[in-house]
């Protein structure tokens, strides 16, 4: 790329390092052009050269020195300018580095202060208790607890989270006064603690009832496989009276229902009913199984028998709601049509949006 005339003129006079010497229309470039063309400078231009400390250029322009003499002077002046510029650059760089070092030191002090404050804060027993409380509430899906219930609820969460059982009073309180805070996560933890307790009691005593109770709780916390394994470990010789045998059949049938083995569940329910014809629990199981098998009329008959034998309408309707919620769309429509034909007032909840697109675990009958 060829140089511009201004560049050539600036190099000719050894001032290409000076800002403005190679920029068009600047005062310096105009003065240089006049000298290069041999035109006399005005008094103002001469004064300008002196003001800019371009003494050699002034002497050349006014005829005091030759161009050869000027070159020697200009070359030395350029070296001095370059040295001065380098010195100034070094001073500015040193200042910049010092400023950066000061900023880094300040930032480091701020970080150290913040870290010290964090450590102090997180070492505060009140802060630790607050964080533990928040972690517990998150774990059990409780973003907010009503103030009057807070202390007892937090005590319950701490105990259940430590692996301890709740008292009967605590359970009743959770299921009544604190029902809005009795989350699915807390319910599952409660049933798991109960299941573990009764399972340990069964291993200690070999009592079938303990295994049956443990299995019911394992089902309620979504662990039917564990329930089945426990029931399989009950010695057959321990099942002596019809009531216990019926309970075992019905409980095992419930587990099979949870596992999707509906025909096995039906057979076990029928065996339980034969053993204890007046017990509503096998009837309730058979009602649920037939409903899930799409045998709606048989389900209705078994639920009627369950009510005759002591099952509450409320518990049966709760089970029907759960079956309805778990069903796919086509099956929901079939259940809906059947129930509304049976009793449009009792089963009007099938039209409620809150019973759509939810998937709770199957209800479990307690023994």
């Amino acid at each position: 790329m060829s140089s511009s005339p201004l560049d050539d003129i600036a190099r000719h006079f050894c001032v290409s390092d000076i800002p403005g010497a190679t920029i068009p229309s600047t005062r310096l470039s105009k003065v240089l052009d006049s000298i290069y063309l041999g035109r006399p400078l005005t008094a103002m231009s001469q004064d300008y050269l002196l003001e800019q400390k371009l003494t050699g250029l002034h002497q050349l322009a006014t005829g005091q020195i030759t161009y050869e003499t000027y070159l020697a002077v200009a070359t030395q002046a350029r070296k001095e300018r370059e040295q001065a510029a380098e010195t100034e650059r070094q001073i500015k760089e040193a200042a910049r580095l010092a400023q950066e070092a000061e900023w880094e030191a300040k930032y480091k002090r701020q970080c150290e202060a913040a870290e010290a404050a964090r450590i102090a804060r997180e070492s505060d027993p009140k802060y630790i208790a607050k964080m533990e409380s928040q972690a517990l509430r998150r774990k059990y899906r409780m973003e907010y607890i009503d103030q009057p219930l807070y202390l007892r609820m937090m005590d319950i969460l701490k105990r259940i989270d430590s692996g301890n059982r709740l008292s009967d009073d605590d359970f009743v309180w959770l299921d009544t006064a604190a029902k809005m805070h009795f989350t699915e996560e807390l319910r599952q933890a409660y049933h798991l603690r109960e299941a573990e307790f009764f399972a340990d009691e069964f291993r200690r005593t070999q009592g079938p009832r303990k295994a049956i109770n443990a299995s019911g709780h394992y089902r309620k916390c979504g662990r039917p496989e564990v329930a089945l394994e426990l029931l399989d470990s009950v010695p057959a010789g321990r099942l002596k009276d019809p009531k216990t045998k019926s309970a075992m059949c019905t409980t095992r049938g419930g587990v099979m229902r949870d596992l999707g083995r509906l025909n096995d569940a039906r057979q076990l329910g029928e065996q339980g009913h034969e053993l204890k014809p007046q017990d509503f629990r096998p009837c309730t199981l058979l009602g649920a199984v037939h409903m899930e098998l799409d045998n709606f009329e048989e389900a209705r008959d078994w639920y009627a028998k369950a009510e005759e034998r002591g099952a509450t309408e409320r518990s049966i309707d709760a089970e029907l709601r759960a079956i309805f919620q778990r069903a796919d769309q086509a099956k929901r429509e079939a259940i809906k049509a059947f129930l509304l034909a049976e009793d449009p007032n009792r089963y009007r909840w099938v039209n409620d949006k809150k019973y759509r697109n939810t998937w709770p675990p199957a209800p479990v009958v307690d023994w």
Side-chain angles (χ1 to χ4, degrees):
M1 182 176 180
S2 60
S3 60
S4 69
L6 289 178
D7 292 334
D8 294 337
I9 292 173
R11 282 194 295 271
H12 177 76
F13 291 114
C14 294
V15 292
S16 59
D17 62 303
I18 299 177
T22 59
I23 300 175
S25 300
T26 62
R27 190 170 183 183
L28 179 57
S29 67
K30 291 179 179 180
V31 171
L32 292 175
D33 186 58
S34 295
I35 298 172
Y36 186 76
L37 294 175
R39 293 197 296 261
L41 299 182
T42 65
M44 289 183 62
S45 295
Q46 292 180 32
D47 290 341
Y48 171 73
L49 290 175
L50 293 175
E51 289 171 2
Q52 299 300 311
K53 297 182 180 180
L54 296 174
T55 306
L57 196 56
H58 177 271
Q59 291 174 337
L60 176 65
T62 56
Q64 298 178 48
I65 58 175
T66 64
Y67 178 71
E68 288 72 17
T69 302
Y70 168 75
L71 283 180
V73 174
T75 301
Q76 180 61 35
R78 178 167 181 165
K79 288 181 181 179
E80 290 174 357
R81 287 196 304 273
E82 289 176 346
Q83 290 175 353
E86 176 61 19
T87 299
E88 184 179 1
R89 187 196 67 77
Q90 291 177 358
I91 291 172
K92 289 181 178 179
E93 178 66 10
R96 183 186 68 79
L97 293 174
Q99 184 67 61
E100 285 187 358
E102 182 180 346
W103 287 341
E104 289 179 1
K106 182 179 179 180
Y107 178 71
K108 182 179 180 181
R109 290 193 299 272
Q110 289 174 341
C111 289
E112 290 174 347
E115 179 66 9
R118 183 190 66 78
I119 293 173
R121 181 176 66 253
E122 293 181 2
S123 300
D124 185 343
K126 291 183 179 179
Y127 178 85
I128 293 172
K130 181 180 179 181
M131 291 300 101
E132 289 176 348
S133 171
Q134 290 179 359
L136 270 179
R137 296 204 306 274
R138 282 194 300 270
K139 182 175 181 179
Y140 294 101
R141 300 284 297 275
M142 293 185 197
E143 296 181 3
Y144 171 78
I145 301 175
D146 288 339
Q147 192 59 38
L149 310 177
Y150 185 84
L151 291 179
R152 185 170 183 178
M153 180 61 73
M154 290 308 303
D155 177 63
I156 285 174
L157 293 183
K158 290 174 184 177
R159 281 187 282 127
I160 203 82
D161 200 62
S162 298
N164 296 314
R165 297 176 68 204
L166 300 182
S167 67
D168 291 341
D169 286 344
D170 285 333
F171 180 78
V172 170
W173 182 77
L174 285 172
D175 210 34
T176 52
K179 193 167 187 175
M180 66 178 295
H181 300 303
F182 201 1
T183 63
E184 184 61 29
E185 288 75 11
L186 181 54
R187 286 181 183 275
Q188 291 204 8
Y190 164 77
H191 288 298
L192 180 58
R193 300 293 174 265
E194 292 299 297
E196 291 170 342
F197 169 77
F198 285 112
D200 287 341
E201 285 293 293
F202 165 70
R203 285 186 280 269
R204 183 177 65 84
T205 65
Q206 290 296 294
R209 284 283 173 179
K210 304 298 183 183
I212 291 169
N213 288 337
S215 297
H217 286 291
Y218 275 129
R219 290 183 61 207
K220 289 179 180 179
C221 62
R223 303 190 182 195
E225 297 87 354
V226 181
L228 182 60
E229 183 180 352
L230 185 65
L231 293 174
D232 285 342
S233 69
V234 177
R238 304 284 296 191
L239 304 174
K240 297 179 180 180
D241 59 279
K243 182 177 180 181
T244 303
K245 291 179 180 179
S246 176
M248 176 60 74
C249 288
T250 306
T251 301
R252 190 180 184 87
V255 172
M256 292 302 177
R257 179 188 167 212
D258 292 346
L259 295 173
R261 296 165 59 176
L262 296 179
N263 286 322
D264 290 336
R266 178 179 54 78
Q267 292 174 8
L268 286 163
E270 290 171 352
Q271 291 174 23
H273 180 63
E274 289 176 6
L275 288 163
K276 286 289 290 181
Q278 296 307 311
D279 192 335
F280 70 83
R281 295 171 182 83
C283 301
T284 302
L285 170 63
L286 288 166
V289 171
H290 280 292
M291 183 63 70
E292 291 178 337
L293 287 170
D294 297 338
N295 302 327
F296 298 151
E297 288 79 8
E298 291 186 61
R300 174 199 58 203
D301 295 342
W302 279 111
Y303 278 135
K305 291 177 182 179
E307 284 195 60
E308 291 170 1
R309 288 160 175 76
T312 64
E313 180 178 297
R314 180 180 177 183
S315 66
I316 290 173
D317 286 356
E319 190 170 73
L320 285 171
R321 285 188 179 94
I323 293 171
F324 184 72
Q325 290 165 1
R326 288 193 302 276
D328 59 30
Q329 190 60 38
K331 187 163 185 174
R332 281 190 183 188
E333 291 301 319
I335 295 174
K336 177 179 176 180
F338 176 78
L339 292 179
L340 290 177
E342 287 292 308
D343 191 332
N345 183 55
R346 175 176 175 178
Y347 301 119
R348 63 184 181 277
W349 50 262
V350 296
N351 291 314
D352 196 326
K353 291 182 179 180
K354 73 179 180 179
Y355 293 114
R356 300 174 188 172
N357 301 322
T358 54
W359 303 86
V364 179
V365 177
D366 288 315
W367 288 88

